[in-house]
Amino acid sequence: MKALIFAAGKGTRLKPFTDHHPKALAPVNGVPLLERNIKYLQSHGINDFVINIHHFGDQIIQFLMANDNFGAKIEISDERAELLETGGGLVFARPFLESGADFLIMNADILTDLNISDLVKSHQDNENFVTLAVSDRKSSRKLLFNMERLLRGWVNLETGAERLAEPNLDFKPLAFSGIHCINSTIFSKIRRTGSFSIMEEYLDLMRTEEIYGFEHTANLVDVGKPEAVAIAEKYFK
């Protein structure tokens, strides 16, 4: 299975580090996020990667070359001409991903000890269209799932804005963990073009496709702000 690592973002919340570096190279206990996540996925048998780049993308290429790609097969989806967000980035990386049945996506700035093998097994055993790693943790935005963990909506807890596939019948709100397993048939179903969020597409597709949540209790840190680095360093040595 291939894994697409989103490493293109500008990481504005992680300033001042990202004034001169890509967020994917932000160190946690001296080890860059990208290196940690490549090795994390390798520990679950994944050694075939696509990494998208934009902000200081040349630094990522040089970092990978200097480390012999950590023994992995790595292809670069080069968005340096235009940053395309998660949905646009996925579509742009289509040539690298569409030949396989399923692939994994992970944000470069997420650190977790989630058992990826369990997520992939659940996705494949159930022949899911999309499987989203989710957990019951504090977040201003939540995905809404029915009793079968089928995606039925989204809510912004701060503004009250919501998107629903059907009336809310005691849906369970869970926070997205930035990791998803996807069937490659998604490329024939995505309708947006240009720069867009993949979550917007999921919220459209939930009306016609089965998108499931994989609930976990693993440690997870979004290393998006400088103060999050200190939190991550407590859990990831």
Side-chain angles (χ1 to χ4, degrees):
M1 177 176 288
K2 282 190 176 182
L4 169 60
I5 299 179
F6 283 138
K10 293 182 178 179
T12 53
R13 296 181 300 151
L14 203 54
K15 286 175 174 286
F17 178 83
T18 49
D19 287 335
H20 304 285
H21 308 281
K23 67 177 179 179
L25 296 187
V28 170
N29 284 322
V31 182
L33 292 170
L34 183 60
E35 177 178 347
R36 285 183 173 276
N37 279 323
I38 289 172
K39 291 180 176 178
Y40 160 64
L41 293 170
Q42 285 176 321
S43 74
H44 288 278
I46 296 172
N47 202 44
D48 197 346
F49 299 91
V50 179
I51 299 174
N52 77 341
I53 62 169
H54 174 80
H55 187 62
F56 292 110
D58 56 319
Q59 291 187 29
I60 292 177
I61 292 173
Q62 292 164 11
F63 173 73
L64 293 170
M65 290 178 60
N67 289 278
D68 296 320
N69 285 349
F70 300 98
K73 178 184 178 183
I74 296 180
E75 297 167 298
I76 298 296
S77 184
D78 192 341
E79 296 178 29
R80 282 179 288 185
E82 180 185 7
L83 184 60
L84 296 169
E85 293 191 56
T86 53
L90 171 58
V91 172
F92 192 75
R94 177 175 181 169
F96 302 110
L97 301 167
E98 63 184 342
S99 60
D102 299 290
F103 57 90
L104 193 75
I105 295 181
M106 182 172 186
N107 294 348
D109 56 357
I110 293 291
L111 289 184
T112 183
D113 53 13
L114 166 68
N115 190 325
I116 284 285
S117 299
D118 287 348
L119 169 65
V120 171
K121 186 176 189 301
S122 175
H123 174 84
Q124 294 184 327
D125 286 354
N126 294 293
E127 298 181 346
N128 291 352
F129 174 63
V130 173
T131 305
L132 307 173
V134 291
S135 64
D136 187 5
R137 67 182 193 278
K138 184 178 180 181
S139 176
S140 62
R141 294 169 293 180
K142 296 285 185 77
L143 297 176
L144 304 174
F145 297 88
N146 66 13
M147 292 182 64
E148 287 74 40
R149 290 297 178 268
L150 188 65
L151 181 64
R152 298 284 82 192
W154 167 91
V155 62
N156 185 318
L157 298 176
E158 293 180 347
T159 66
E162 62 180 14
R163 294 265 302 274
L164 297 173
E166 60 190 60
N168 190 338
L169 302 176
D170 199 27
F171 294 151
K172 184 171 185 177
L174 295 166
F176 179 45
S177 299
I179 303 170
H180 16 167
C181 201
I182 302 174
N183 187 275
S184 59
T185 56
I186 194 170
F187 291 116
S188 66
K189 301 178 186 295
I190 291 176
R191 295 292 172 256
R192 289 175 174 81
T193 59
S195 177
F196 64 94
S197 166
I198 189 59
M199 193 55 65
E200 288 297 316
E201 202 68 33
Y202 287 158
L203 294 174
D204 285 347
L205 290 170
M206 70 179 174
R207 299 178 180 276
T208 57
E209 309 296 331
E210 294 186 338
I211 299 175
Y212 285 93
F214 179 87
E215 189 173 359
H216 67 89
T217 57
N219 291 316
L220 186 140
V221 181
D222 176 358
V223 191
K225 298 180 180 180
E227 55 266 32
V229 173
I231 297 172
E233 288 183 337
K234 295 179 181 178
Y235 295 103
F236 301 96
K237 301 302 182 181

